Amino acid sequence: MSTDSLPDRAEFVVVANRLPVDRAEGDGEWRRSPGGLVTALEPVMKRADGAWVGWAGKPDLELEPFDFEGTHLVPITLTADDVELYYEGFSNDTIWPLYHDVIAAPRYRRVWWEAYVSVNQRFAEAAAAVVAEGGTVWVQDYQLQLVPKMVRELRPDVTIGYFHHIPFPAYGLYSQLPWRRQVLEGLLGADVIGFQRVADAGNFARAVRRQQRYDTKASGITVPVPGGGTRTALAKAFPISIDAESYAEIARRPEVQARAREIREGLGNPRKILLGVDRLDYTKGIRHRMKAFGELLEDGRLDVSDVTLVQVASPSRERVEAYAQLRDEIELTVGRINGTFDSVGHTAIRYLHHGYPREEMVALFLAADVMLVTALRDGMNLVAKEYLAARLDNRGVLVLSEFAGAADELGSALLINPHDIGGLKDTIMRAIEMPGAEQGRRMRSLRRRVFEHDVDAWSRSFLAALDQARTRAEATA
């Protein structure tokens, strides 16, 4: 990338698959994306006069770098082939299923890997071109695992962080990857490699020991430097969170509270509302929760006039075959359960296959008595934390899979193994019947955790580790 058109280089550069903005269909205006990562890094970017390298979200869209609300944006052009091979192929049909415990079978195609290497190189070159001398580059997530090493080769003067938002698998699974060594080397290009859970950081360190034979300790991994010598890379858990106060603020709005009451009325004022909010993804355990709910109706333990399940399943990767198949399966299940148990005035499952703005989601959180998070494997699951932040009344029950990263922090939730359908059914009944006093005790503890460990605390802890890495590198230079 030519640096002629760039302003002064940025001290702090984020590299992510997507830019932090979306272009509106109608007026073509750029708007800030609603994601948690964008919210987390916005104050850091403004303080540091930072730059963000990412794809604009549409294939073959060629854009010059531009400024948006105090951040310099550096768009990466991806062709339709890049999107198919690097993103839908290697990122989401190889890495995603492999790193989520092979819930679906990963596919290993050399042409996908070649595209992944090529696109990662493009991101790395853009970051190297825009970062200031001695600056910081923070790479985000599994689509860009090769970028840390590539940036280090281009700009050995900068400090590099990498954060892995999804699980990192046990070595027995990871070792299936034909390019396992190259991916580890890519990640070890970073000074700090962050994971959601202590177990993920441990899996990564074990893979490095087994594959690379490097010395791994809690204080860091000893990485050889080309030309002689070593440096230290820290692999550690930094559990991500949400901007909890922003959810509480929305929940306090009278119009959002009125909308929550309207939602209950629209569902026929059931005694209890169960809620699931997920991307339509095979890792989320949507089928498991529907099976459990359907069996509770079948057993007569629940009645459709008393309890409704609302399932929001926002569209996801619909061109990937496993996702299209999952949608068909879930819609058949919903149709079967509703056909069997619906009455004229009540629906068993209200299934909503689209996304919603944040205000509508908070209204759903306020309306729901029980939040069901039944992920089969999840890096964190921020929806669980969003539900807690919105519950100003200290009521409601969180049913949480022990296979979601959030389970490490949210021990006062009702923890479940989603594969144990019998246990899941009993826990749903326990949640529905939980007395108000117990709900209050649990919810106060959970909310305290979410507000104390919010997204700002997450970014500050990671950046502090990067500062320490820079100091350590300067001391040994």
Side-chain angles (χ1 to χ4, degrees), residues 280 286-287 290 326-334 351:
L280 188 60
I286 301 171
R287 287 174 292 202
M290 287 186 173
L326 175 69
R327 179 181 177 180
D328 289 345
E329 283 180 33
I330 287 175
E331 289 177 357
L332 278 169
T333 301
V334 171
Y351 176 70

Side-chain angles (χ1 to χ4, degrees), residues 447-459:
R447 294 187 82 239
R448 189 163 54 247
R449 172 73 194 189
V450 168
F451 278 85
E452 287 174 0
H453 298 266
D454 65 359
V455 74
D456 184 52
W458 168 76
S459 61

Side-chain angles (χ1 to χ4, degrees), residues 52 83 162 170 203 208 226 266 291 329 357 387 418 421 430 442:
W52 190 303
V83 174
Y162 171 89
N203 285 344
V208 170
K291 181 174 178 59
E329 283 180 33
Y387 176 72
I421 301 299
R430 184 180 168 198
R442 289 174 178 273

Side-chain angles (χ1 to χ4, degrees), residues 301-318:
R301 295 171 74 183
L302 292 181
D303 188 277
V304 76
S305 62
D306 280 342
V307 180
T308 295
L309 169 61
V310 177
Q311 177 62 56
V312 178
S314 53
S316 173
R317 302 169 189 159
E318 298 202 305

Side-chain angles (χ1 to χ4, degrees), residues 188 190-193 201 204-206 208-209 214-224 230-236 469 472:
L188 287 167
D191 297 287
V192 178
I193 307 145
F204 174 75
R206 275 187 289 277
V208 170
R209 270 201 309 278
Y214 295 168
D215 189 26
T216 62
K217 295 192 178 78
S219 57
I221 297 168
T222 303
V223 183
T230 61
R231 62 180 184 82
T232 300
L234 178 67
K236 186 181 169 187
R472 192 168 57 238

Side-chain angles (χ1 to χ4, degrees), residues 87-333:
Y87 182 69
E88 293 172 351
F90 193 79
S91 295
N92 290 319
D93 217 353
T94 301
I95 292 295
W96 181 269
L98 177 66
Y99 284 27
H100 285 85
D101 291 355
V102 194
I103 293 165
R107 295 197 289 163
Y108 305 115
R109 297 189 57 197
R110 283 170 289 180
V111 66
W112 290 355
W113 166 250
E114 288 158 10
Y116 187 80
V117 173
S118 169
V119 170
N120 272 241
Q121 188 67 44
R122 219 174 303 160
F123 275 84
E125 287 169 2
V130 76
V131 65
E133 188 76 23
T136 299
V137 174
W138 192 3
V139 184
Q140 305 290 331
D141 221 1
Y142 65 102
Q143 301 95 343
L144 303 173
Q145 294 175 99
L146 308 181
V147 168
K149 182 187 179 191
M150 292 170 169
V151 170
R152 182 168 294 281
E153 288 170 346
L154 293 165
R155 293 293 304 274
D157 58 293
V158 303
T159 304
I160 302 165
Y162 171 89
F163 188 75
H164 196 74
H165 292 256
I166 68 172
F168 195 90
Y171 185 71
L173 294 175
Y174 180 77
S175 61
Q176 293 181 22
L177 185 66
W179 307 280
R180 59 198 183 184
R181 178 183 52 79
Q182 294 95 314
V183 168
L184 291 177
E185 287 175 354
L187 294 171
L188 287 167
D191 297 287
V192 178
I193 307 145
F195 297 91
Q196 300 281 27
R197 306 180 85 163
V198 171
D200 295 322
N203 285 344
F204 174 75
R206 275 187 289 277
V208 170
R209 270 201 309 278
R210 294 283 297 274
Q211 191 62 41
Q212 308 295 109
R213 307 293 182 193
Y214 295 168
D215 189 26
T216 62
K217 295 192 178 78
S219 57
I221 297 168
T222 303
V223 183
V225 174
T230 61
R231 62 180 184 82
T232 300
L234 178 67
K236 186 181 169 187
F238 297 86
I240 199 169
S241 194
I242 61 167
D243 180 4
E245 186 48 50
S246 73
Y247 282 89
E249 185 275 319
I250 294 169
R252 283 191 281 266
R253 295 179 196 169
E255 67 273 19
V256 174
Q257 294 178 5
R259 175 64 186 138
R261 291 190 292 273
E262 196 178 283
I263 288 168
R264 288 197 82 96
E265 286 163 17
L267 294 168
N269 279 314
R271 186 171 62 87
K272 296 286 182 179
I273 295 172
L274 313 182
L275 176 64
V277 175
D278 310 89
R279 273 189 317 101
L280 188 60
D281 193 291
Y282 48 76
T283 63
K284 301 297 184 182
I286 301 171
R287 287 174 292 202
H288 295 64
R289 95 182 51 140
M290 287 186 173
K291 181 174 178 59
F293 183 67
E295 286 189 11
L296 286 170
L297 291 169
E298 203 173 295
D299 298 344
R301 295 171 74 183
L302 292 181
D303 188 277
V304 76
S305 62
D306 280 342
V307 180
T308 295
L309 169 61
V310 177
Q311 177 62 56
V312 178
S314 53
S316 173
R317 302 169 189 159
E318 298 202 305
R319 288 171 34 164
V320 178
E321 186 183 335
Y323 289 79
Q325 187 180 333
L326 175 69
R327 179 181 177 180
D328 289 345
E329 283 180 33
I330 287 175
E331 289 177 357
L332 278 169
T333 301

